[in-house]
Amino acid sequence: MTALEHAGRALAAESARYTEMGWMRGTSGNLSVVLGRDPLRLAVTVSGLDKGELTEHDVVVVDEHGLAVADQPHPEKRPSAEAGLHGRIAAVSGAGAVVHVHVLAPVVAAEQWPGGVPLRDLEMLKGFGRAAHDDEVTIPVIPNGQDMRVLGDAFEAGFRADTPALIVARHGVYVWGADLRQARHRLECLEWLLRFTVATKLEPAGRGML
Protein backbone atom coordinates (compact mmCIF):
# COMPACT_ATOMS: atom_id res chain seq x y z
CA MET A 1 0.00 0.00 0.00
CA THR A 2 1.36 3.43 -0.94
CA ALA A 3 1.64 6.31 1.52
CA LEU A 4 -1.26 8.01 -0.26
CA GLU A 5 -3.46 4.91 -0.03
CA HIS A 6 -2.59 4.57 3.65
CA ALA A 7 -3.59 8.20 4.21
CA GLY A 8 -6.73 7.64 2.14
CA ARG A 9 -7.73 4.66 4.24
CA ALA A 10 -7.29 6.64 7.46
CA LEU A 11 -9.24 9.59 6.05
CA ALA A 12 -12.05 7.32 4.88
CA ALA A 13 -12.31 5.67 8.31
CA GLU A 14 -12.42 9.02 10.12
CA SER A 15 -14.97 10.39 7.65
CA ALA A 16 -17.21 7.37 8.24
CA ARG A 17 -16.95 7.90 12.00
CA TYR A 18 -17.98 11.56 11.72
CA THR A 19 -20.80 10.68 9.34
CA GLU A 20 -22.21 8.23 11.87
CA MET A 21 -22.08 11.01 14.47
CA GLY A 22 -24.10 13.28 12.16
CA TRP A 23 -21.22 15.73 11.77
CA MET A 24 -20.70 15.24 8.01
CA ARG A 25 -24.21 15.34 6.61
CA GLY A 26 -24.80 14.91 2.90
CA THR A 27 -21.45 15.43 1.23
CA SER A 28 -20.35 18.16 3.66
CA GLY A 29 -17.07 18.45 5.51
CA ASN A 30 -13.51 17.53 4.61
CA LEU A 31 -10.44 16.06 6.29
CA SER A 32 -6.75 16.20 5.45
CA VAL A 33 -3.40 14.78 6.52
CA VAL A 34 0.04 16.14 5.74
CA LEU A 35 2.10 13.95 3.42
CA GLY A 36 5.22 16.14 3.30
CA ARG A 37 6.43 19.61 4.23
CA ASP A 38 9.13 20.57 1.76
CA PRO A 39 7.15 21.40 -0.25
CA LEU A 40 3.89 21.16 1.73
CA ARG A 41 1.62 18.40 0.41
CA LEU A 42 -1.67 17.24 1.89
CA ALA A 43 -4.03 14.38 1.14
CA VAL A 44 -7.56 15.84 1.20
CA THR A 45 -10.89 14.07 0.92
CA VAL A 46 -12.55 14.49 -2.47
CA SER A 47 -15.44 16.82 -3.15
CA GLY A 48 -19.02 15.77 -3.82
CA LEU A 49 -19.07 12.27 -2.29
CA ASP A 50 -20.93 10.91 0.71
CA LYS A 51 -18.29 11.02 3.43
CA GLY A 52 -19.59 7.79 4.91
CA GLU A 53 -18.81 5.88 1.71
CA LEU A 54 -15.24 6.96 0.92
CA THR A 55 -12.48 4.49 0.03
CA GLU A 56 -8.72 4.87 0.25
CA HIS A 57 -8.81 6.11 -3.35
CA ASP A 58 -11.12 9.06 -2.63
CA VAL A 59 -8.37 11.55 -1.83
CA VAL A 60 -6.51 14.21 -3.76
CA VAL A 61 -2.98 15.49 -3.18
CA VAL A 62 -2.91 19.29 -2.92
CA ASP A 63 -0.27 21.96 -2.38
CA GLU A 64 -0.22 24.70 0.27
CA HIS A 65 -2.84 26.64 -1.72
CA GLY A 66 -5.25 23.71 -1.91
CA LEU A 67 -4.59 23.12 -5.61
CA ALA A 68 -4.31 19.58 -6.94
CA VAL A 69 -0.74 18.72 -7.86
CA ALA A 70 0.25 17.01 -11.09
CA ASP A 71 0.47 13.23 -11.51
CA GLN A 72 -2.59 12.36 -9.43
CA PRO A 73 -3.44 8.65 -9.36
CA HIS A 74 -7.08 9.63 -9.99
CA PRO A 75 -6.94 12.95 -11.88
CA GLU A 76 -10.71 12.98 -12.42
CA LYS A 77 -11.33 13.54 -8.71
CA ARG A 78 -11.53 17.05 -7.31
CA PRO A 79 -10.35 18.28 -3.90
CA SER A 80 -12.71 20.18 -1.65
CA ALA A 81 -13.00 23.87 -2.41
CA GLU A 82 -11.90 24.41 1.21
CA ALA A 83 -8.58 22.60 0.76
CA GLY A 84 -6.81 25.96 0.63
CA LEU A 85 -7.77 26.67 4.24
CA HIS A 86 -6.49 23.21 5.22
CA GLY A 87 -3.19 24.11 3.61
CA ARG A 88 -2.94 27.44 5.43
CA ILE A 89 -3.79 25.86 8.79
CA ALA A 90 -1.23 23.09 8.31
CA ALA A 91 1.45 25.57 7.22
CA VAL A 92 0.88 28.04 10.07
CA SER A 93 0.16 25.62 12.93
CA GLY A 94 2.49 22.79 11.96
CA ALA A 95 -0.42 20.35 12.34
CA GLY A 96 -0.27 16.91 10.78
CA ALA A 97 -4.05 16.65 10.28
CA VAL A 98 -6.96 19.06 9.89
CA VAL A 99 -10.61 18.17 10.43
CA HIS A 100 -13.53 20.26 9.17
CA VAL A 101 -17.08 19.26 10.07
CA HIS A 102 -20.50 20.90 10.18
CA VAL A 103 -21.39 20.07 13.76
CA LEU A 104 -24.08 22.43 15.10
CA ALA A 105 -22.79 23.57 18.51
CA PRO A 106 -19.86 25.67 17.22
CA VAL A 107 -22.06 27.46 14.70
CA VAL A 108 -24.68 28.29 17.34
CA ALA A 109 -21.97 29.40 19.75
CA ALA A 110 -20.52 31.74 17.11
CA GLU A 111 -23.92 33.37 16.73
CA GLN A 112 -23.92 34.21 20.43
CA TRP A 113 -20.23 35.15 20.68
CA PRO A 114 -19.23 36.44 17.22
CA GLY A 115 -16.02 37.95 18.57
CA GLY A 116 -14.80 34.58 19.86
CA VAL A 117 -16.33 31.96 22.14
CA PRO A 118 -15.00 32.18 25.73
CA LEU A 119 -14.40 29.00 27.73
CA ARG A 120 -13.10 28.66 31.27
CA ASP A 121 -13.11 26.35 34.29
CA LEU A 122 -14.51 23.28 32.57
CA GLU A 123 -12.84 19.91 33.07
CA MET A 124 -13.19 18.92 29.42
CA LEU A 125 -10.76 21.68 28.49
CA LYS A 126 -7.96 19.28 29.43
CA GLY A 127 -8.99 17.04 26.53
CA PHE A 128 -8.76 20.07 24.26
CA GLY A 129 -5.18 20.64 25.35
CA ARG A 130 -5.78 23.44 27.84
CA ALA A 131 -5.94 23.66 31.63
CA ALA A 132 -9.22 22.87 33.36
CA HIS A 133 -8.99 25.90 35.66
CA ASP A 134 -7.64 29.45 35.55
CA ASP A 135 -6.99 29.27 31.81
CA GLU A 136 -8.64 31.84 29.57
CA VAL A 137 -9.62 30.10 26.33
CA THR A 138 -11.24 31.90 23.42
CA ILE A 139 -12.19 29.94 20.31
CA PRO A 140 -11.74 32.36 17.39
CA VAL A 141 -14.61 33.07 15.02
CA ILE A 142 -14.17 34.39 11.48
CA PRO A 143 -16.82 35.38 8.91
CA ASN A 144 -17.76 32.85 6.26
CA GLY A 145 -16.79 33.34 2.64
CA GLN A 146 -15.85 31.47 -0.53
CA ASP A 147 -12.34 32.87 -0.95
CA MET A 148 -10.01 30.60 1.00
CA ARG A 149 -7.23 33.19 0.86
CA VAL A 150 -9.42 35.66 2.74
CA LEU A 151 -10.42 33.04 5.29
CA GLY A 152 -6.81 31.97 5.61
CA ASP A 153 -5.71 35.55 6.30
CA ALA A 154 -8.41 35.91 8.97
CA PHE A 155 -7.35 32.63 10.55
CA GLU A 156 -3.68 33.58 10.60
CA ALA A 157 -4.40 37.02 12.07
CA GLY A 158 -6.01 35.46 15.13
CA PHE A 159 -3.94 32.29 15.37
CA ARG A 160 -2.72 31.11 18.76
CA ALA A 161 -0.57 28.01 18.98
CA ASP A 162 -2.37 26.84 22.13
CA THR A 163 -5.86 27.04 20.61
CA PRO A 164 -6.14 24.39 17.86
CA ALA A 165 -9.58 25.32 16.55
CA LEU A 166 -11.35 27.84 14.35
CA ILE A 167 -15.08 28.47 13.93
CA VAL A 168 -16.31 29.79 10.60
CA ALA A 169 -19.54 31.66 11.31
CA ARG A 170 -22.73 30.05 9.98
CA HIS A 171 -20.60 27.29 8.47
CA GLY A 172 -18.65 24.90 10.68
CA VAL A 173 -15.52 24.26 12.70
CA TYR A 174 -11.90 23.37 11.95
CA VAL A 175 -9.81 21.49 14.51
CA TRP A 176 -6.26 20.23 14.04
CA GLY A 177 -3.65 18.09 15.70
CA ALA A 178 -0.48 16.08 15.21
CA ASP A 179 -2.55 13.35 13.53
CA LEU A 180 -6.15 12.43 12.82
CA ARG A 181 -6.61 10.77 16.21
CA GLN A 182 -5.50 13.81 18.18
CA ALA A 183 -7.59 16.10 15.98
CA ARG A 184 -10.62 13.88 16.60
CA HIS A 185 -10.14 13.84 20.35
CA ARG A 186 -9.80 17.61 20.41
CA LEU A 187 -12.89 18.02 18.25
CA GLU A 188 -14.98 15.71 20.42
CA CYS A 189 -13.97 17.61 23.56
CA LEU A 190 -14.54 21.00 21.94
CA GLU A 191 -17.99 19.97 20.72
CA TRP A 192 -18.92 19.02 24.32
CA LEU A 193 -17.56 22.31 25.65
CA LEU A 194 -19.46 24.38 23.11
CA ARG A 195 -22.65 22.38 23.50
CA PHE A 196 -22.49 22.94 27.26
CA THR A 197 -21.81 26.64 26.82
CA VAL A 198 -24.70 27.12 24.42
CA ALA A 199 -27.11 24.98 26.46
CA THR A 200 -26.41 26.80 29.71
CA LYS A 201 -26.06 30.23 28.09
CA LEU A 202 -23.56 31.32 30.72
CA GLU A 203 -21.73 34.58 30.19
CA PRO A 204 -18.47 35.61 31.85
CA ALA A 205 -19.35 37.24 35.20
CA GLY A 206 -17.37 40.45 35.25
CA ARG A 207 -14.90 38.94 32.78
CA GLY A 208 -14.63 36.01 35.11
CA MET A 209 -15.71 32.40 35.05
CA LEU A 210 -18.08 30.58 32.74
Side-chain angles (χ1 to χ4, degrees):
M1 179 179 292
T2 67
L4 180 58
E5 288 173 337
H6 180 77
R9 178 170 292 185
L11 289 167
E14 289 298 291
S15 295
R17 179 192 294 266
Y18 290 129
T19 300
E20 290 179 2
M21 297 170 73
W23 292 2
M24 298 183 86
R25 298 174 184 273
T27 64
S28 70
N30 32 79
L31 313 180
S32 67
V33 294
V34 173
L35 297 173
R37 293 208 172 265
D38 188 20
L40 183 63
R41 294 289 184 265
L42 298 90
V44 181
T45 51
V46 299
S47 178
L49 296 183
D50 187 317
K51 297 306 187 296
E53 300 175 352
L54 300 183
T55 73
E56 65 265 28
H57 303 296
D58 294 320
V59 293
V60 180
V61 180
V62 301
D63 62 16
E64 69 273 19
H65 304 296
L67 301 175
V69 301
D71 300 323
Q72 296 283 335
H74 300 283
E76 76 282 0
K77 295 184 178 181
R78 297 180 296 109
S80 165
E82 294 154 344
L85 187 51
H86 283 252
R88 182 72 76 91
I89 290 171
V92 172
S93 71
V98 181
V99 172
H100 170 51
V101 297
H102 290 188
V103 63
L104 186 59
V107 180
V108 176
E111 288 288 294
Q112 298 186 23
W113 293 278
V117 184
L119 303 170
R120 182 184 171 96
D121 294 337
L122 292 163
E123 191 71 18
M124 194 68 81
L125 278 166
K126 291 193 293 188
F128 182 63
R130 299 293 293 270
H133 300 285
D134 301 323
D135 187 10
E136 295 284 353
V137 181
T138 301
I139 308 302
V141 177
I142 65 173
N144 192 21
Q146 303 308 308
D147 189 332
M148 294 303 112
R149 292 171 298 178
V150 173
L151 267 63
D153 290 345
F155 150 72
E156 191 166 355
F159 171 72
R160 283 187 49 163
D162 61 357
T163 307
L166 172 72
I167 301 173
V168 181
R170 300 201 169 195
H171 184 162
V173 65
Y174 289 78
V175 178
W176 50 92
D179 52 31
L180 285 169
R181 181 184 293 271
Q182 184 180 59
R184 184 212 315 152
H185 290 169
R186 288 174 170 176
L187 174 58
E188 290 173 345
C189 292
L190 179 62
E191 191 272 343
W192 186 97
L193 289 161
L194 295 174
R195 187 149 44 93
F196 170 87
T197 301
V198 168
T200 56
K201 296 183 180 179
L202 295 176
E203 302 241 3
R207 298 183 181 180
M209 296 168 52
L210 272 179

